[in-house]
């Protein structure tokens, strides 16, 4: 929702119900016109709000008593300003990030000086900040206006009565919150509503952002103005109508008039309503027939309407306009098909938790990913980055993004892009992998922050569900459904956004997180058999690591460390070693086990990326084959906040697709031929075996056809089978035959399985396998 102050534009003739003589009437009309002209000219000539130019005060690393002022970038982060002033190297190169660690213990002060603007009678000067991280105080001319803990609650302060001819605005940033001194890890975040990821994760260094991280500015508003507005609705059961509620809060609204207008995609006004506020609040009820529905992009059109809320004074002069968008949809979480029949027999426990998403009465399969911060420092995430990454999601055939609870709640433009592009958003609150003990102070801040988050995001039709956070009911967190933080968040969502589903955490009973490697490090079981024997209602995290490209590695690893990779130093800082368990995430020994001795970095990267491609395809396609009992497949993870040496992501920082991105895009096509494979490595003379499937997630039937099945190696082909399949019903798969064939002596180390759908190349599929009879040293990259 965008707020925009408007000039006084027009005046309506004053009307009364008593008789006047002609001279008096003309005089009154003249005075009215002159008043309107005066008001209009006064607003046209009124000063724009001052532009804030910021400085930052801090104490040096080696001498805390010595403080200095430097230029500051807002929005941004104190660490980036200090690094620029001190001449530090880029935090993402080698181990430079360690040079930034001392700052988390310090206090910082922003300041900006501005002259008092020329305000017309009744006008107000307001200070806005959409995000300050994390605990802070705000001062104007030495007087404290606000103390706040929490980075997701916006600041809105009326400065008018505190103004002097020359003014100094200061924002004091406290050191980062820490529950304890040691261990220095994510558990330090367990008493705050600050994203835990920045305290260190298996793909994120310990760099804890501080400072002003979202848009911050001064604004001049008329004395009578709207401060907040919401537009909510309820759809009828048959979707034929919507009951819309418009609510406005503001200042000095008595005597004013509010007008709400709704426009369709062709900018034609289709509804208008007028309402008079009382006691600075106004409410309007509107009935709309036959609203166009908002759909995820793969199910229909993400229809959006524009609306305006106009505030006029008693003379009809337009004072202010709020612009917003509205999308009509109903979203529910319902029980997965077949789940009510479980568990069977006695004694019984509860059935699995519902995780089947239903949009506008239609059950859909959610294909997507886990979204993490696109930057370590959220202050430098731009609208352009959000636009590019959400475009990538469409390219990947994703219809859902899970906003992981260890990271930030994204800026407004992210949600606007998801609305426009038809991408569902699973929004988690900033709780992850900790036991967030419900102390009175923590719950107070959580209530404040969650209310701000809900009120900001609930208006977006892309919002599909709320979640309390990530992996809170697992042993490493130790929370449960009686934890006060969970009960509070459930209550907040029910009170402030009752139409959107809420789950306590992910995973819940029946849902799956993991595995995160191609082959289990203890059992040696490959991802094919792991997934083929799995049975979950949703796979909401699963990973497959690979190295980053050689080009990226050269930008983050010093040349003398590049080959061979070793634990410690830059490779380890960038998560190649000792990141999670075992030798994650590079897993060089496993790559060598499959492909033999690796002679150079190029071989390591190419072979590791092949495993990531085939592993991710196996998981996504098997999850889809388990539909309708299974309803979701979301990999871990989509993107990364800085360049990693190895990771589970399918997009390298800042927006560079790995080969696995394109493999995942293929595996998520809405209609396709699929093979249920059983292993990666085969032997010449062995009986190759797979099973054929047709996967259809479309809302309409998929036309039947013919699949040609063959094995290919070195331009040699082995025809295995032809399968003619009938029409696939909407959102329904077809299980096909098993196909076998003896692998010939091809004198090669790789071959592929090709599924060609006659006349529909967009539905054809390909899979790569290894042969072991050829010397591993002959493997070509």
């Amino acid at each position: 929702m965008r707020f925009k102050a408007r000039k006084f534009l027009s005046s309506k003739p004053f009307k009364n119900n008593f008789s006047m003589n002609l001279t008096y009437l003309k005089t009154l009309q003249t005075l009215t016109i002159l008043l309107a002209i005066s008001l209009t000219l006064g607003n046209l000539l009124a000063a724009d709000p001052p532009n804030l130019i910021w400085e930052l005060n801090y104490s040096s690393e080696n001498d805390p008593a010595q403080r200095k002022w430097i230029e500051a970038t807002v929005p941004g982060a104190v660490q980036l300003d200090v690094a620029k002033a001190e001449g530090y190297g880029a935090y993402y190169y080698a181990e430079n990030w360690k040079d930034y660690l001392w700052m988390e213990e310090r206090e910082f002060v922003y300041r900006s000086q501005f002259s008092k603007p020329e305000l017309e009678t009744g006008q107000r000067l307001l200070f806005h900040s959409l995000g300050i991280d994390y605990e802070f105080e705000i001062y104007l001319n030495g007087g404290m206006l606000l103390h706040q803990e929490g980075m997701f609650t916006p600041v809105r302060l009326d400065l008018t009565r505190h103004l002097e001819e020359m003014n100094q605005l200061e924002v004091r940033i406290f050191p980062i919150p820490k529950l304890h001194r040691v261990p220095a890890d994510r558990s330090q975040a367990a008493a705050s509503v600050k994203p835990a990821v920045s305290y260190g994760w298996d793909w994120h260094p310990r760099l804890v952002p501080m400072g002003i991280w979202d848009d911050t500015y001064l604004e001049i508003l008329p004395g009578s103005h709207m401060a907040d507005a919401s537009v909510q609705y309820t759809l009828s059961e048959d979707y034929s109508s919507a009951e819309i509620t418009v609510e406005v809060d503001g200042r000095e609204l008595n005597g004013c008039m509010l007008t709400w207008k709704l426009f369709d995609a062709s900018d034609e006004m289709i509804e208008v309503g007028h309402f008079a506020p009382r006691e600075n609040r106004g409410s309007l009820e509107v009935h709309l027939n036959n609203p166009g529905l908002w759909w995820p992009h793969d199910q229909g059109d993400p229809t959006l309407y524009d609306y305006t809320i106009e505030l006029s004074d008693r003379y009809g002069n337009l004072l202010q306009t709020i612009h917003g968008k509205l999308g009509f949809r109903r979203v529910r979480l319902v029980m997965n098909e077949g789940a009510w029949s479980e568990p069977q027999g006695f004694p019984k426990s509860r059935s699995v938790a519902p995780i089947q998403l239903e949009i506008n009465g239609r059950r859909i399969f959610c294909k997507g990913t886990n979204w993490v911060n696109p930057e370590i420092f959220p202050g430098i995430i731009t609208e352009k980055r959000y636009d590019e990454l959400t475009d990538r999601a469409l390219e990947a055939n994703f219809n859902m993004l899970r906003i992981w609870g260890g990271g930030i709640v994204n800026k407004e433009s992210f949600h606007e892009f998801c609305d426009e592009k038809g991408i569902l958003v699973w929004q988690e609150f900033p709780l992850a992998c900790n036991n967030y003990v419900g102390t009175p102070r923590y719950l107070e801040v959580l209530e404040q922050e969650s209310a701000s988050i809900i009120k900001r995001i609930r208006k977006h039709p892309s919002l599909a569900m709320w979640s309390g956070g990530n992996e809170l009911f697992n042993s490493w967190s130790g929370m449960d459904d009686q934890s006060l933080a969970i009960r509070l968040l459930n209550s907040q969502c029910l009170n402030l956004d009752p139409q959107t589903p809420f789950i306590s955490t992910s995973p819940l009973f029946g849902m799956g997180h993991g595995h995160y490697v191609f082959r289990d490090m203890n059992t040696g079981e490959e991802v094919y058999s792991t997934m083929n024997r799995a049975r979950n209602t949703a796979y909401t995290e699963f990973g497959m690591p690979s190295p980053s490209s050689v080009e990226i590695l050269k930008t983050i690893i010093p040349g003398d460390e590049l080959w061979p990779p070793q634990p410690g130093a830059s490779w380890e800082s960038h998560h190649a070693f000792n990141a999670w368990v075992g030798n994650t995430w590079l897993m060089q020994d496993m790559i060598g086990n499959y492909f033999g001795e690796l002679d150079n970095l190029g071989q390591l990267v190419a072979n590791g990326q092949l495993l990531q491609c085939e592993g991710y395809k196996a998981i996504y396609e098997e999850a889809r084959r388990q539909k309708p009992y299974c309803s979701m497949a979301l990999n871990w993870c989509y993107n990364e906040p800085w360049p990693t040496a190895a990771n589970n992501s399918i997009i390298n920082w800042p927006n560079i697709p790995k080969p696995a991105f394109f493999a995942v895009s293929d595996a998520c096509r809405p209609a396709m031929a699929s093979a249920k494979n059983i292993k990666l490595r085969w032997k010449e003379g062995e009986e190759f075996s797979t099973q054929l499937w047709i996967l259809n997630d479309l809302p309409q039937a998929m036309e039947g056809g013919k699949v040609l099945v063959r094995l290919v190696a070195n331009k040699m082909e082995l025809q295995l089978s032809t399968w003619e399949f009938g029409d696939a019903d909407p959102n329904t798969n077809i299980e096909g035959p098993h196909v076998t064939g003896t692998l010939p002596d091809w004198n090669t180390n790789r071959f592929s399985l090709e599924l060609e759908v006659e006349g529909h190349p967009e539905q054809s599929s390909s899979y790569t396998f290894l042969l072991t009879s050829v010397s591993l040293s002959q493997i070509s990259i």
Side-chain angles (χ1 to χ4, degrees), residues 191-208:
S192 67
V193 193
K194 184 170 175 65
V197 67
S198 57
Y199 291 76
W201 224 268
D202 57 271
W203 43 272
H204 191 298
R206 184 186 175 93
L207 277 177
V208 189

Side-chain angles (χ1 to χ4, degrees), residues 353-661:
I355 197 64
Q356 170 66 65
L357 202 66
E358 182 185 271
I359 303 291
N360 301 329
R362 181 189 301 165
R363 295 187 175 205
I364 69 169
F365 190 92
C366 294
K367 302 185 293 285
T369 188
N370 282 264
W371 172 289
V372 301
N373 301 357
E375 293 281 356
I376 284 176
F377 300 103
I380 62 174
I381 303 174
T382 63
E383 183 174 322
K384 183 174 183 289
R385 180 73 62 80
Y386 281 134
D387 191 13
E388 293 170 346
L389 286 173
T390 50
D391 274 349
R392 288 270 189 228
L394 296 179
E395 187 181 353
N397 292 307
F398 290 159
N399 59 17
M400 171 173 274
L401 299 173
R402 176 188 177 222
I403 313 305
W404 177 69
I408 65 163
V409 178
N410 285 296
K411 298 178 182 180
E412 189 65 9
S413 59
F414 166 82
H415 297 278
E416 291 171 347
F417 285 128
C418 290
D419 291 345
E420 295 167 8
K421 298 174 185 181
I423 302 171
L424 296 165
V425 173
W426 165 344
Q427 180 64 58
E428 298 198 328
F429 292 98
L431 291 76
C433 298
N434 280 323
N435 189 349
Y436 293 86
V437 178
T439 64
R441 177 58 183 163
Y442 172 73
L443 293 176
E444 178 185 359
V445 177
L446 182 63
E447 182 174 18
Q448 163 203 294
E449 292 288 87
S450 60
S452 298
I453 292 167
I454 295 168
K455 289 177 181 179
R456 178 166 72 86
I457 298 178
R458 66 185 178 184
K459 63 180 177 287
H460 292 285
S462 55
L463 176 64
M465 56 189 291
W466 297 101
S467 169
N470 178 69
E471 296 178 355
L472 301 178
F473 290 1
N474 295 84
S475 60
W476 46 89
S477 296
M479 299 179 72
D480 56 43
D481 53 11
Q482 295 305 306
S483 296
L484 294 180
I486 299 299
R487 294 173 65 184
L488 172 64
L489 292 174
N490 193 356
S491 173
Q492 290 280 84
C493 289
L494 179 63
N495 290 331
L496 298 175
D497 190 20
Q499 302 301 321
T500 304
F502 171 87
I503 63 172
S504 299
T505 188
S506 179
L508 292 173
F509 183 52
M511 300 159 61
H513 277 204
H515 210 324
Y516 301 94
V517 292
F518 188 88
R519 189 177 69 191
D520 188 276
M521 291 169 283
N522 297 315
T523 66
E525 185 179 23
E526 286 184 338
V527 61
Y528 303 100
S529 55
T530 300
M531 278 301 298
N532 290 348
R533 65 173 172 76
R535 189 171 187 270
N536 292 88
T537 53
Y539 299 92
T540 49
E541 275 193 27
F542 52 86
M544 197 61 50
S546 82
S548 296
S549 69
V550 174
E551 292 74 20
I552 290 174
L553 291 172
K554 287 180 177 179
T555 67
I556 60 175
I557 308 294
D560 59 352
E561 296 181 38
L562 263 177
W563 185 260
Q566 297 290 338
S570 301
W571 278 99
E572 187 162 326
S573 282
H574 290 268
H575 321 296
F577 297 98
N578 301 312
W580 179 47
V581 295
N583 60 357
T584 52
W585 291 112
L586 185 60
M587 308 199 73
Q588 185 175 359
D589 56 345
M590 187 189 71
I591 297 172
N593 179 264
Y594 276 110
F595 298 96
E597 184 177 349
L598 302 168
D599 298 326
N600 56 63
L601 189 60
Q603 287 184 344
L604 174 65
V605 168
N607 291 321
Q609 291 183 343
L610 172 63
L611 294 181
Q612 186 182 43
C613 289
E614 295 303 319
Y616 268 140
K617 284 159 61 177
I619 299 176
Y620 272 106
E621 293 184 28
E622 177 56 28
R624 294 178 64 185
R625 284 191 286 269
Q626 295 178 16
K627 185 178 70 177
Y629 184 78
C630 177
S631 60
M632 287 188 190
L634 314 174
N635 85 296
W636 181 268
C637 54
Y638 183 51
N639 55 321
E640 55 189 30
W642 79 324
T644 63
N647 186 18
N648 290 285
S649 70
I650 58 175
I651 295 178
N652 278 121
W653 179 90
N655 181 21
I656 305 171
K658 293 180 179 178
F661 172 87

Side-chain angles (χ1 to χ4, degrees), residues 40-55:
T40 302
L41 289 175
N43 278 273
L44 289 172
L45 298 174
D48 290 329
N51 183 34
L52 296 176
I53 300 174
W54 294 95
E55 297 178 292

